[in-house]
Structure formats: C-alpha cells, structure tokens
Amino acid sequence: MGGAAAAAAVLVVLWLAVAAAGAGAGERPSEVSIGALYTYDSVIGRAAGLAIELAVGDVNADRTVLAGTTLSLISQDTNCSGFLGTIEALQLMEKNVVAVIGPQSSGIGHVISHVVNELHVPLLSFAATDPTLSASEYPYFLRSTMSDYFQMHAVASIVDYYQWKEVTAIFVDDDYGRGAVAALSDALALSRARISYKAAIPPNSNAATINDVLFRANMMESRVFVVHVNPDAGMRIFSIANKLRMMDSGYVWIVTDWLAAVMDSSMSGDLKTMSYMQGLIVLRQHFPDSETKREFISKWNNVARNRSIASGLNSYGFYAYDSVWIVARAIDQLLDNGEEINFSADPRLHDSMNSTLRLSALKLFDSGEQLLQQLLLTNFTGLTGQLQFDSDRNLVRPAYDILNIGGSVPHLIGYWSNYSGLSVAAPEILYEKQPNTSTSAQRLKNVVWPGHSASKPKGWVFPNNGQPLRVGVPNKPSFKELVSRDTGPDNVTGYCIEIFNAAIKLLPYPVPCQFIVIGDGLKNPNYDDIINMVAANSLDAAVGDFAIVRNRTKIAEFSQPYIESGLVIVVPVKEASSSAWAFLKPFTLEMWCVTGVLFIFVGIVVWILEHRTNEEFRGSPRRQMITIFWFSFSTMFFAHRQNTVSALGRFVLIIWLFVVLIINSSYTASLTSILTVQQLATGITGLDSLLSSALPIGYQAGKFTRNYLIEELNVPESHLVPLNTIDEYADALNRGPKDGGVAAIVDEMPYIEIFLSYHCNFRIVGQEFTKEGWGFAFQRDSPLAADMSTAILQLSESGQLQRIHDEWFSRSSCSSDDSEMGATRLGLGSFWGLFLMCALICVFALVMFFARVCWQYSKYSGSEEPDEPKDDSAGTAEIAAEAVAEMQRRRPKRLGSFKELMQFVDKKEEEVRKSMKRRPSEKDNQGVGSSDAQSVA
C-alpha cells in the first residue's frame, strides 16, 4: 500500500508539472493595445472616432474573439496637420501598440509608413486613399478602404459613357490630391480622353485663392470638372463656382466620395449650399445592405445623440469599425498560434546627447511580421461587405454608388464596380453573373444637369481666354477656286474657306479665328508639314484641300469629310482618224467568224425543219442551197421571204430573231462610238497600263500623291514629275514623254475637274483608285473636330454644302465620260452566253425532229409495198394457194440503208401520212382474200 501511495503521489506531481507547463505555454495577455490616428474635429474623424470606440466595445463583449484578452484603444488627434499628426503618431508608437487604425490623412500615411516599417507595427488605414501608398514601398501599410485608383476608374467610366474627351481636374495640392489625379490621368487615357487642365488648390487656401484657381479653370475649353479635395474645405468650391456662374447649364461637375461623406454627415437642413450644387454627379462607396449594418447605424445614432455629436455617420465610419474587427481577428489568430506580444529595443534608435526626443522609447514589435501575415489572410463579412485583400493588398470587389443631386436630396442613378463597370443593377447582383463590361452593357439612369437641364452637356466650349483659333491655310499658285489669298477681313477665300466659315457659324459657341497663310504663292507648300505644325501646337487647325489619309490621322484629328475625293489619271487625247474598213471594227475577228457560222447553222436547221412541210424550202438542190443562204442572212434585216409552217421551225426562228436583234443593236452602238470617239494619245487606258508603261507621271507638288505612288504603287521616284499650276499640267501633257513632258497626271478628282474646265483636250481614263475625302485638321483629340463634323453633316442635310460646291465649281467643264475614251471592240466574250443558248435550242429542235422522223420511218417500213393484183382468169383456188404461200414467205423488213432513210426524209410529210394510213386497209383486204381462198379449197 505504501509503495502504491508513493507511486500515486509521483504521478500527481508529474501531472501538475505538465499542466503548469501547458498553462504557461498557452497563457494569453490580459490586455492588448491598439492605436488610432485621426483628426477628432473633422467630417471623417467625428464618424470614425465613435465607430472605433463602438467596435472595441463589441470586440470585448464578444467571447468568440480574444477570449480572456481585453482590447485596449489608444487614440491620438492628428489635428488636420501633417507636422502635428506625425508627432502624435510617434507618441503613439511609444505606447507599445501592436497595430494602428489610421491615419486619416494620406500625407501622414506616407510619413508614418516609414516608421512602422522599422518598428514592424501594422498600419491599417480606413481613410488614406492615395494610390501611391503602395505595398512595395510600405509593406506594413494596409488600406481597409477603397483606393482612389478604383474611384478614378469609376470617374473615367462616367466620362467615357457620356463621350467626353477632356476634363479639368480640381484637386488639393497634396499627396492625396496629386496621387488621385495621376490615377485619373491613366484611367482616362484608356478611353482616349485626357486631363486638359489641372487646377491645383493649395492646402488651407482662403476664398480668394480658390476663386483665382476656379477663374483660370473657367477660361479653359473643358466644361467637365472633376473635383477631388478634402471634405472639410471642399464645400467652399461650389459657393465660389456659383458666384462665377460655373453652375449654369453647359457645365459638368463630377465629385469624388468626399462630398458624399459631407452630405451623409450633415444633419437635415444643415447643408445650406445644396441650392447651388444642383446637377452634380457624386460618387459614394457602395456597401451591400444587411441587418448587421442597420443595427450598427441605429446604435451609432443613439450614442451620438446621447453625446450631442452634431454630425452624422458616413462611409468612413463603417470602414473604421471594420478595421478594428480586422485587427482583433488577426490578433486572436496570432495568439492561437502560440505567438507572444513582446516588444524589444531597436539598437539603431538611441538618444543623442542633449536630445529630448526619447527615440529609445520606440520599441520593435517582435511578432509584427506574423501579425501582418494574419491581417493579409483576413476573410470575413463586415459592415462594408466582403473583407478580403487581393494580391495587391486592396480590398476585393470595390464598388461605388453614383448619385445625382437634384432637389434637396441626391438620387441614385447607377453603380460602378470593378467587376462589370457602370450598371443600374447593384454590384452584389452582378457578382452572381458573368462579368460584362461591353459598351452596350454600360448604363446609367437619367441625369439632371446643372441649370436644371435634361440634355447632356457638350462638355466643351471654345476657350474663353481671348486667344483666337490659329488656322493654317496653304497659299498655292493655282487652283484658286479652292483656297487663295484675299484682301478681305479673313485674308483668305475659296471653296474650302467658305465651307469652314459656314460650319463655324453653326457651332453653339463663338469661335474667333485667325487665318495664317502658309506658303509664298509661287509653289505649293508641303501639306504634311502643315499637319505637323498642328500636331506640334504651332497651329490649332489646318483648313484647305487636305486629304484625310492614314499617316495624317495618326498625328491630327480630322473632321467629317466635306467633299469626296479620289485619285484619277488624266491623259491627252486626239481625234480618231477614220478608214475604209471602219465598219469592221465593232466586232473582233472571232466574233465575225462565230456570227457567220451561226447564221449558216440556223439557216440549215430551219431548212431541215421546214423541208418536208414547206414548199418554199423544196426544189432542186441548187435552189435549196440558195434558199438556205438567203434565208440565213436576210434574217439580219428581218427581210426573209420564206414563211415557216412547222412548230419547231417557228420556235427556232423566234429565238434566232431575238439574237439577231441583240447583234444588230450592239453593232450599231459600237460603230457609232468608233466613228465619233476621241482616241488616247499615249495608249494609257487605266492604272495597270500606266504602271506597266514606265513612262513619266506628273503629280501635284506638296500633296500626298507622291508618297502614295512611291509607297503603295511602287512607282520609282525617277518617273515622277512635280507640277504646281494648271498651265504646267497642260504643258507637260502636251509635250509628252518624248519632249520632256509626262504621259499622264495622277491627281485628286476636284483638281482634275477644275483642270478640265480650262483644257478640253485631255480626258480621265479608268476609275478612281483611291477613296478619301477632304477634311479640316485639328489637334489630336480636340473636341472641336467632333463639333465641326456635326456642323458639316448639318450643312449637307440642309443642301447648303451642295450649293457652295455649285457656286465655286460653276465653270462649264469638258466631258470626261469614260465611254468616249478609245471605244472597245466587242468580242465573243460578250455574246457567248447568247450564242450558246441559241445553239442548244437548235440542237434540241433537230433532236425532236429526227426522233419523229425515225418513228415514222419505222412505221412506214413495217412491210413492203403491196403486189400488183393477179389476172382474174386464173382460178380461185390457184390464187388462194399463191396467197397463202406468199404470206408464209413474207417477213417484216428491217431498217433500210442510209440512202433509203434520206429518200424517206426527202418525202413530203403529206405523202408519208397518206401512205401510213393506206397500209392498214390493204392488210385487212389481204386477210379477207386469204380466208376466202382457204374456204374454197
């Protein structure tokens, strides 16, 4: 018993030791401190401060999280100051906090992130939205709200949805503002839009400074303003803009989520500036509705009412509340993994002599790296929705509500999410479907714009800064109908200038223009150089006979074409010399031969079909040959005397007369053309013959034609001759290749129309081999190009565009019909289908005819001709006997020789029919005689 008791005592001691060791290993700290950095007296701070307190209380009341450990909160006021905020943040680091909720400011976030990187204290910000606070530079910085990277993509989607191309960015000039504007610029570039002007407002600016910034912004061309400033100072912008009449119709204001926070935080009736914020489009972070969210709102409002907090709850309060829970769950998981909360001194931080900074008080959090990893593994549903970090440490599923202020309250007009873009359906509904970011799927509800307008603003006006539009105009020595210098007020005139002025007058805003003449008037300026001046901002626009071609559209923006154009070939012509054999030219030799053979063939076919039934096609062989030839060729003039009586003959003749009609008409038209046409002097009939001839080619100097011939058609540069004036055109063509001239000129149709109106001994050959038009050139992505295109279409629909064309191109021009250019002889290829049809019908008629003849011949030759009757003096018995013997001896004859068949064919149809009718009766008579003979015998 004693031994057993001793053994039991030893076991108890061992069990207690193991239990004590286990209790020591799993012991949790009684309290863990976290910090909070925000500005107490601010729109965001008033909502976030109370939310953080409520979250800490809820965590401590929940026994499933940090069981046995109390979460302690230490808050520091950053006082809306970068310097003071940084000092407060350093003081917070001295108090051994394991994580910090905040800061509220992006600027302070940049500074403090360097500190927490060294101390290994995770920084979880609920309001620092600057996209440049990246994980690569600040690994211990986490953003528990949505980055402005996504918000600026939402703004860009709205801009693209309404097809605006330029915006003015109004932003606070600090890290928060500059980072967001950089993200906006990148987002707009994806849809070929841009920030045309950046209106930076210095922090803590007074009303005079803001007024000056807005005034300069209003002088610019863009009327789409994107406002991204701090909530506490941003409201002054709209009151000042209202005084500057920038809240009237025609303006567009897109405001980021700071304004939604201000509106949510303002109690009913407190927002006095709502009257001059009508028509604004406002973004607000989107949270899915839930019972937990509604309970929190009720709880927050009750506590705020009891504390007399004169501010409402905004979206940043929700993010602050969720941030506490993210940290609490991560700490709980850290402790569950057996990690301890310990701090150690950093040997790199020590106090210098005579220094009172106490840098040694800043401790290194030993488990900071492990806590950071637990934070990155966060995955639960909070008040703001799914709380989970992606690979870039951003919250998943970013989304925004899009509001429109109309009346006393904002109205929801749609949503934006990174999943499906713009939509009128809530993002949580779209998450259950396949993503669809196509243009047709992007939708928003109707918007009330500033000035209570229901129509979408253009988003652009001519800049109101007193500078006229610098318009470059080419000065050419010829083709004055298009563009020329003038002594009038515009100093230029011409067809292109009149269209430009007419389109400018249709714009809904005034556009003063200053025409700048380019060129000395002695030779053509290079048109590509003028377009390059527009691209280089030396000119605002280029007006004249500028073709819209590929290389120019890469550097400039062109309007809708106001005239169609294309390259054509002009050659000299000469009068055709007639000859004694000109009447043979309409048809080729093959055509004449086949036509003659077909005439004879049809004559033979008709003769065969008519020979047995028609006396006019019978007679001696000589007469029949004459009939065949006469009938054949007399049908050419519809003068044949012979009538056709057979059905097949008439059918063939009808078809043949139709063929003859076509041949006669074609011959007549071709002969008329040949006898009156002008012949080409060089033999060039089109582009192919021009390129294969290797002869000199003229082109208008300065135009795109030269590059097109070299680069696209591979014409050697040595074969090209630059020309400047109409007289040079005529002289070069008249001299020809042999005398130092050109064989042809390649130029655009409008120029050729003017040239031919002065010189009638030249003609266009072939077809236009390019299709382009003339338009007005503007700087890249200039909204004026789209407005001018609309004006040109309006001119076209009203008929004014055509009237202007007729006024400037009223000079009578020479005929340039291609049908007069070297008439083409008609060949067999144009008629082979007709001839084939006629031949097949003739063959078909012959087959039917001979089938019928063979059938008749088989009936006709079924038995021989009956014998002559015997003498009546012979005895009846003898006659009967001979008849029986004859019948036994006789057999049906088979088809005779070809000669006999031809003799049968030559028989008249009437004779054949009579013979075939007589045969059955004779056979019947013979049968009766035989029967009588047998009976007598």
Side-chain angles (χ1 to χ4, degrees), residues 35 141 237 298 358 385 629 640 660:
F141 174 85
I237 290 177
S298 177
R358 297 182 61 242
F629 280 95
H640 50 284
V660 170

Side-chain angles (χ1 to χ4, degrees), residues 157-463:
S157 296
I158 296 173
V159 172
D160 183 54
Y161 177 77
Y162 290 109
Q163 298 180 350
W164 297 313
K165 291 301 181 182
E166 292 188 359
V167 304
T168 294
I170 301 175
F171 61 99
V172 59
D173 194 9
D174 60 7
D175 293 325
Y176 163 74
R178 289 190 296 268
V181 168
L184 175 61
S185 180
D186 294 340
L188 289 173
L190 298 177
S191 56
R192 289 189 61 187
R194 67 188 181 97
I195 299 175
S196 59
Y197 182 71
K198 296 180 180 179
I201 301 177
N204 304 318
S205 296
N206 55 29
T209 303
I210 297 175
N211 183 87
D212 183 58
V213 171
L214 293 182
F215 180 79
R216 289 197 302 270
N218 196 35
M219 299 293 288
M220 301 298 120
E221 59 188 20
S222 174
R223 284 296 178 265
V224 181
F225 299 103
V226 178
V227 184
H228 186 70
V229 295
N230 293 317
D232 297 282
M235 298 306 299
R236 290 182 295 174
I237 290 177
F238 302 112
S239 61
I240 296 173
N242 184 62
K243 295 178 182 178
L244 295 175
R245 303 186 64 84
M246 297 173 65
M247 305 302 296
D248 295 341
S249 60
Y251 289 84
V252 178
W253 293 85
I254 302 175
V255 189
T256 55
D257 55 13
W258 66 267
L259 181 56
V262 174
M263 292 189 297
D264 292 339
S265 299
S266 300
M267 297 300 183
S268 178
D270 287 350
L271 197 55
K272 299 178 182 179
T273 57
M274 185 68 76
S275 60
Y276 36 79
M277 291 198 305
Q278 299 299 302
L280 271 61
I281 295 178
V282 183
L283 274 69
R284 179 176 62 192
Q285 296 98 331
H286 173 75
F287 308 138
D289 193 21
S290 64
E291 183 62 30
T292 307
K293 176 183 172 183
R294 288 191 293 270
E295 291 176 357
F296 171 75
I297 294 174
S298 177
K299 184 177 181 180
W300 192 98
N301 289 334
N302 291 333
V303 175
R305 192 180 305 111
N306 294 333
R307 296 188 184 183
S308 299
I309 298 177
S311 180
L313 177 62
N314 56 53
S315 58
Y316 293 101
F318 295 103
Y319 284 120
Y321 182 89
D322 282 346
S323 299
V324 175
W325 275 95
I326 293 173
V327 172
R329 289 175 178 269
I331 295 173
D332 183 58
Q333 189 62 45
L334 181 73
L335 297 177
D336 285 345
N337 293 340
E339 298 290 341
E340 297 183 358
I341 306 298
N342 292 324
F343 293 86
S344 59
D346 189 343
R348 296 172 298 174
L349 298 176
H350 55 84
D351 295 328
S352 301
M353 294 181 61
N354 301 323
S355 173
T356 58
L357 292 177
R358 297 182 61 242
L359 295 177
S360 59
L362 299 176
K363 303 295 184 180
L364 184 69
F365 180 30
D366 296 336
S367 300
E369 177 64 28
Q370 290 77 7
L371 180 59
L372 176 64
Q373 296 305 317
Q374 294 302 325
L375 289 170
L376 293 175
L377 295 175
T378 296
N379 189 359
F380 70 95
T381 301
L383 299 180
T384 58
Q386 182 69 23
L387 295 174
Q388 185 179 0
F389 296 102
D390 60 17
S391 58
D392 294 326
R393 300 190 180 186
N394 290 312
L395 288 178
V396 298
R397 296 184 174 180
Y400 289 87
D401 297 333
I402 302 176
L403 310 175
N404 177 222
I405 299 179
S408 58
V409 293
H411 303 280
L412 182 67
I413 61 172
Y415 305 89
W416 179 91
S417 68
N418 195 40
Y419 186 74
S420 293
L422 299 176
S423 68
V424 293
E428 51 268 22
I429 298 176
L430 299 178
Y431 291 145
E432 300 175 359
K433 305 177 182 179
Q434 291 294 326
N436 185 3
T437 57
S438 62
T439 303
S440 59
Q442 306 301 294
R443 291 182 56 199
L444 290 176
K445 296 179 181 178
N446 294 332
V447 175
V448 176
W449 302 100
H452 303 283
S453 174
S455 59
K456 183 197 77 172
K458 299 178 66 67
W460 183 90
V461 296
F462 187 77

Side-chain angles (χ1 to χ4, degrees), residues 522-545:
L522 300 178
K523 63 179 181 178
N524 293 345
N526 189 294
Y527 278 48
D528 287 337
D529 291 343
I530 299 177
I531 300 299
N532 287 328
M533 293 174 66
V534 175
N537 199 27
S538 299
L539 295 172
D540 297 316
V543 173
D545 44 341

Side-chain angles (χ1 to χ4, degrees), residues 32-36 38 49 52-53 56 71-75 97 101 324:
V32 175
S33 297
I34 63 172
Y38 59 93
I52 292 173
E53 291 183 21
V56 172
L71 191 65
S72 176
L73 176 66
I74 303 174
S75 299
V97 294
I101 308 298
V324 175

